[in-house]
Amino acid sequence: MNELNYIIKRLLQIIPVLFCVTVLIFIMMRLIPGDPALVMLGDKGSPETIAAMRHQMGLDQSYLTQYWIFLNNLLHMNLGKSVYYNQPVSELIQQKILVTITLTIVSTILAILISFPLGYLSGINRGNLKGQIINAGSLVAVSLPSFWIGLLFLILFGLKLGWFPIAGWGQTWPEHIYSMILPGLTQALATCALLIRNIQNSVSDILKKDYVDFAYSKGLPRKIVRSRYIIKNVMVSTVTLFSMRIAYMLGGSVVIETVFALPGIGLLLLQGILGRDYAIVQGTVFIFAVIVLAMNLFTDISYSILDPRVKLQ
Amino acid sequence: MSNTILEVIDLKTYYIEKNRVVKAVDGVSFSINEEETFGLVGESGCGKSATCRSLIGLVHKPGEIVNGCINYKGTDLLKISPKELEKIRGSEMGMIFQEPMTALNPVLKIKEQIMESFKDKALSKQQKYEKAIELLRLVGIPSPEKRMESFPHQFSGGMRQRVMIAIALASKPRLLLADEPTTALDVTIQDQIIKLLNDLKRELKMSMILVTHDLGVAAQMCDRMAVMYAGNIMEITDAVTLFGSPRHPYTIGLLNSLAVNKEKGGKLQPINGAPPDLSNMPEGCPFAPRCQYCEPLCEKQLPDLQEIEPGHLSRCRCVEKLANIKGIIEPAGKEEPS
Amino acid sequence: MGTENTISLPERTAIAPKIPFWQRSTTFNMGFVFLVIVLVFTLFPGLFTSYSPSAQDPNVILSAPTAAHVFGTDNFGRDMFSRVLWGTRIDLEIGVLAVIIPLVIGSLIGLIAGYYGKWIDVLFMRLLDIVMAFPFTILVIAIVAIIGPGIRNLYIAIWLVGWKEYARLVRSEVIVLKESEYVQAAKTLGYSDTRILFKHVLPNVMNSAIVYSISDVMMCMLVGASMSFLGLGVQPPTPEWGALISDGRSLISSAWWICAFPGLALAITGIGISLLGDGLSDLLRTKEH
């Protein structure tokens, strides 16, 4: 019951933020130089279609009414029509969002698989050679440009070795997942580096805590102390950075999808900008914000489950 | 009269750092009988906690036990494998810590932290649950059924300490190591916990090692005591003798600095000077620079811990000079000071 | 007998040996040396190459690295070494300029929001929530989409988004410091808010913001390069590293050097800055203890 209350409370807190996000996008779209109707039509269109668009957007009415029309459309997922694709933006997003979400999930899983063991290892080996090697590795990893690493991976593992496809994401789910390994790894690299740092610090802090000693003094086996005492508390201290990094990686999908030619909404956004197809820009930016807000909600809930101290505050 | 449960011989625990060695425990020997409470007292940094942690194998890096023998019921704990040590911890030897807030896992329910501590594999989950409630009742937690679902942060300081004691006692250890168990608590709560520990010790017929810097607490709990200074034991004897007729200048100094001494008409005298740097110890007796009885030889050679009467050992050359010094209680009465 | 008979004993403080500044952090020294070298390249690129970064030589189109052209040439016959060298100036400038403004503005916002609290705090924190609702790169890209590509607009976009981290860092420290005894004492003495804020609060809350700003220089440099790579930042033929990589991308299977060397330059500069940032945080940490 307590948990349900918390979730409802957090959901209600999101509504004003989401509202402000729509206001921001509305203002941004109106800031684009030129007639807003023409902007949405990509500078093309007969005088009739322009007039129809002007009327549809309510440009002859007050800004408040215009915003109301805009908001109404957003809530009904009526995101306008792409000039280039000649297709509703919501349809385009529906087709492509799965690619971006899969990419983000694969990156996240890879980041966890790499950073937790390495972070733990460097945490218990802090100061010695093993720890220093991991530290140096993560310092390098965080400083590398992802688009360049992506290209190097493509040349090496795609072109030269032929282990992975060099473009697209295939037809079936196994192909989808397989083709996400290189992009996911590229995306995960910097995040891994930051997570390793964070986990390392928190492991070496937690190892000094009395509760770990107390657990050993009770005669608990090493394995149980590790899972229930060390890892569980490390997770609590990592969750915030982790969610921030997932949001960051979501943004990175524009670059990664461009490098690996993946048909996701990041690439769609870039095409929209370069082709001055603003209906696409507006729709994808909104969807990105919705995903981030949903994910923050998810993180907060998992945080409250992981750390019992949160609920009281 | 009773059997020895633990014998420590020449224990040395050093913290070996890049450019220095901190000798936290430097050749400590003592033994504890069954059903006895043994106190390790001294100032902070004298090595009493390090001694305690060494006994149960919880010395953190860069600390290391470099020498000695910890003989528990005939097995040397320093020679057995980690797996065997795991078996001894909990069921033979348990430990409670100074700060119950940091000694309990903040993300696990009390229920889970108690139930995982039962080492008897034959117990079913239901049995463990019932035994856990029984334990909470034993340590005086009101409505234990409800508190089982709570997390550590939902308890008050004193209650948390009780929970920690309950957890440490889950597998009925024969020897309980208590590292400053009352230091973090309010004075009124302190007295409750002291009473609880004394009662539990009697009821469960266990032995206890009490580490404390508070001579008042030690007086209320200990049968025998060892006074530590700079990694060495200076004096060992029963509590009554220690308070009644101390035979080491450091012990005398400690007693003189107690407030109770002043109440009895004595003077409140602090010990002049500061303890030595443990990484750069003087050659002779570590207390020599602060000792008013210091002889030239003291600065060159550490005296042995010698038996001056049965069961009373002192590491001082000048015990004769100290023979007539009285402590803060009359040595005649062999009852517990109250 | 009571428990008040406590022997409370003084904590011994170890006297830390004096270590000269240059011996305190190897990481910092490594980063420093790295960056001095990069800085020499930035200030005097002409010293190291006789080629102009824009001079086209039709005789040596797509030449692999040779003694004459150590990094090879591109499809217009331009010397890649010279282009990468001149690019140092642009990329480092992006990193530094993109960070300075957010560092100042964000810290000020954090200072004011944290110190005054109430509605000012609520206002800025809601603004922060909105900015945080977008992934960093997406918001930068969206702003560039509106005001148009180009280096100046790239700066504006990063400035508009980049302040959030500084505001958060500084605000959280100000809130703690506000309750400290010496700030309370300064208030009791009747010092003006401005004096308290800038003389007593600010110097004590800037450490984490400054440490973060160094790694932020690296991140902004990478973001700038990524944006140019996507065609939204620095426009060709300016020799910016991301743009150079973008140029070489279509030729990657036949002329690897066009992509490889600008990326390597970006990576090495990035590592240098990261070393400096890590070293600085080491130095500040040892100073605190």
Side-chain angles (χ1 to χ4, degrees), chain A residues 211 213 216 218 228-229 233, chain B residues 53 60 89 102 105 116:
Chain A
Y211 57 74
D213 283 339
Y216 282 128
K218 297 197 285 191
R228 308 189 75 178
Y229 284 73
N233 281 291
Chain B
R53 287 175 163 269
H60 284 284
R89 285 170 175 169
T102 58
N105 187 346
E116 71 179 6

Side-chain angles (χ1 to χ4, degrees), chain A residues 207-208 210-211 213-214 216-222 224 228-229 232-233 236 306-309 312, chain B residues 53 56 58 60 86 89-90 93 95 97 102-107 112-113 116-117 119 151 153 164 167:
Chain A
L207 283 177
K208 284 182 220 137
D210 280 347
Y211 57 74
D213 283 339
F214 189 43
Y216 282 128
S217 81
K218 297 197 285 191
L220 290 185
R222 205 158 273 275
I224 290 188
R228 308 189 75 178
Y229 284 73
K232 222 173 163 191
N233 281 291
V236 168
L306 279 173
D307 190 349
R309 287 164 295 186
L312 282 185
Chain B
R53 287 175 163 269
I56 200 163
L58 287 174
H60 284 284
E86 219 165 73
R89 285 170 175 169
M93 227 190 238
M95 180 162 173
F97 291 73
T102 58
L104 295 172
N105 187 346
V107 300
E112 294 171 83
Q113 298 195 52
E116 71 179 6
S117 316
K119 301 192 81 179
F151 287 97
H153 69 270
M164 180 159 75
I167 293 173

Side-chain angles (χ1 to χ4, degrees), chain A residues 77-106:
Chain A
M77 285 311 279
N78 181 4
L79 301 171
K81 201 170 168 186
S82 156
V83 188
Y84 175 77
Y85 285 96
N86 193 24
Q87 214 178 344
V89 172
S90 52
E91 256 176 44
L92 280 170
I93 290 177
Q94 255 172 37
Q95 287 162 15
K96 292 164 187 287
I97 196 166
L98 201 58
V99 177
T100 306
I101 289 182
T102 313
L103 172 63
T104 310
I105 291 175
V106 170

Side-chain angles (χ1 to χ4, degrees), chain C:
Chain C
M1 185 94 240
T3 36
E4 71 271 17
N5 302 324
T6 312
I7 316 158
S8 51
L9 305 141
E11 291 279 323
R12 266 172 306 131
T13 45
I15 302 149
K18 284 244 181 230
I19 307 169
F21 180 76
W22 60 88
Q23 285 180 9
R24 280 188 205 152
S25 169
T26 328
T27 321
F28 184 83
N29 297 347
M30 276 162 62
F32 187 74
V33 171
F34 247 75
L35 280 182
V36 166
I37 295 171
V38 173
L39 223 60
V40 170
F41 285 146
T42 313
L43 297 173
F44 315 105
L47 286 181
F48 302 94
T49 174
S50 50
Y51 295 99
S52 149
S54 52
Q56 303 183 2
D57 184 351
N59 297 320
V60 283
I61 281 171
L62 291 179
S63 156
T66 58
H69 300 281
V70 280
F71 285 3
T73 59
D74 68 2
N75 49 337
F76 294 103
R78 291 176 291 199
D79 178 54
M80 282 307 293
F81 181 66
S82 164
R83 288 177 72 69
V84 169
L85 211 55
W86 285 87
T88 317
R89 185 174 278 189
I90 297 160
D91 280 87
L92 216 57
E93 185 192 288
I94 293 179
V96 173
L97 276 188
V99 165
I100 285 181
I101 306 276
L103 171 66
V104 173
I105 295 177
S107 305
L108 270 180
I109 290 177
L111 197 63
I112 290 167
Y115 186 75
Y116 290 104
K118 300 204 184 94
W119 65 269
I120 302 182
D121 193 31
V122 173
L123 180 81
F124 280 122
M125 287 309 107
R126 287 296 85 79
L127 203 60
L128 197 71
D129 281 346
I130 299 164
V131 175
M132 299 280 285
F134 297 92
F136 179 77
T137 328
I138 297 296
L139 201 52
V140 171
I141 287 178
I143 296 171
V144 167
I146 292 158
I147 56 181
I151 190 160
R152 187 178 51 100
N153 291 350
L154 179 66
Y155 283 136
I156 295 175
I158 295 181
W159 290 343
L160 283 173
V161 187
W163 59 272
K164 61 173 182 179
E165 217 50 51
Y166 299 98
R168 264 163 47 113
L169 280 173
V170 171
R171 175 180 172 269
S172 63
E173 296 213 10
V174 170
I175 286 176
V176 176
L177 201 69
K178 193 168 67 169
E179 305 303 328
S180 73
E181 278 165 26
Y182 78 92
V183 172
Q184 291 300 327
K187 274 188 178 173
T188 321
L189 287 172
Y191 288 172
S192 71
D193 280 355
T194 339
R195 178 165 174 184
I196 295 174
L197 273 178
F198 289 94
K199 283 197 87 168
H200 300 280
V201 179
L202 191 69
N204 291 297
V205 296
M206 286 309 286
N207 272 2
S208 54
I210 286 172
V211 167
Y212 179 79
S213 77
I214 302 224
S215 63
D216 202 24
V217 169
M218 189 269 296
M219 293 225 306
C220 284
M221 195 178 74
L222 292 186
V223 167
S226 313
M227 294 288 286
S228 308
F229 172 79
L230 295 175
L232 301 172
V234 180
Q235 301 295 310
T238 314
E240 192 281 331
W241 291 334
L244 293 183
I245 296 170
S246 175
D247 285 346
R249 199 178 151 213
S250 50
L251 300 161
I252 199 162
S253 49
S254 56
W256 55 269
W257 53 90
I258 305 181
C259 279
F261 291 114
L264 207 59
L266 202 47
I268 289 175
T269 314
I271 292 169
I273 302 173
S274 295
L275 282 171
L276 197 73
D278 269 24
L280 190 68
S281 82
D282 285 350
L283 283 182
L284 290 174
R285 209 178 316 134
T286 46
K287 207 175 123 193
E288 272 167 24
H289 281 293

Side-chain angles (χ1 to χ4, degrees), chain A residues 111-126 130-131 134-135 138 191-205 207 230-231 234 238:
Chain A
I112 296 175
L113 289 181
I114 296 169
S115 61
F116 261 83
L118 284 182
Y120 185 81
L121 205 65
S122 66
I124 58 175
N125 287 298
R126 196 168 208 185
K130 227 190 253 171
I134 297 174
N135 264 348
S138 65
T191 298
C192 283
L194 292 172
L195 283 176
I196 286 173
R197 286 291 176 89
N198 191 289
I199 293 167
Q200 176 194 36
N201 288 337
S202 93
V203 165
S204 70
D205 281 354
L207 283 177
I230 302 173
I231 299 199
V234 168
T238 314

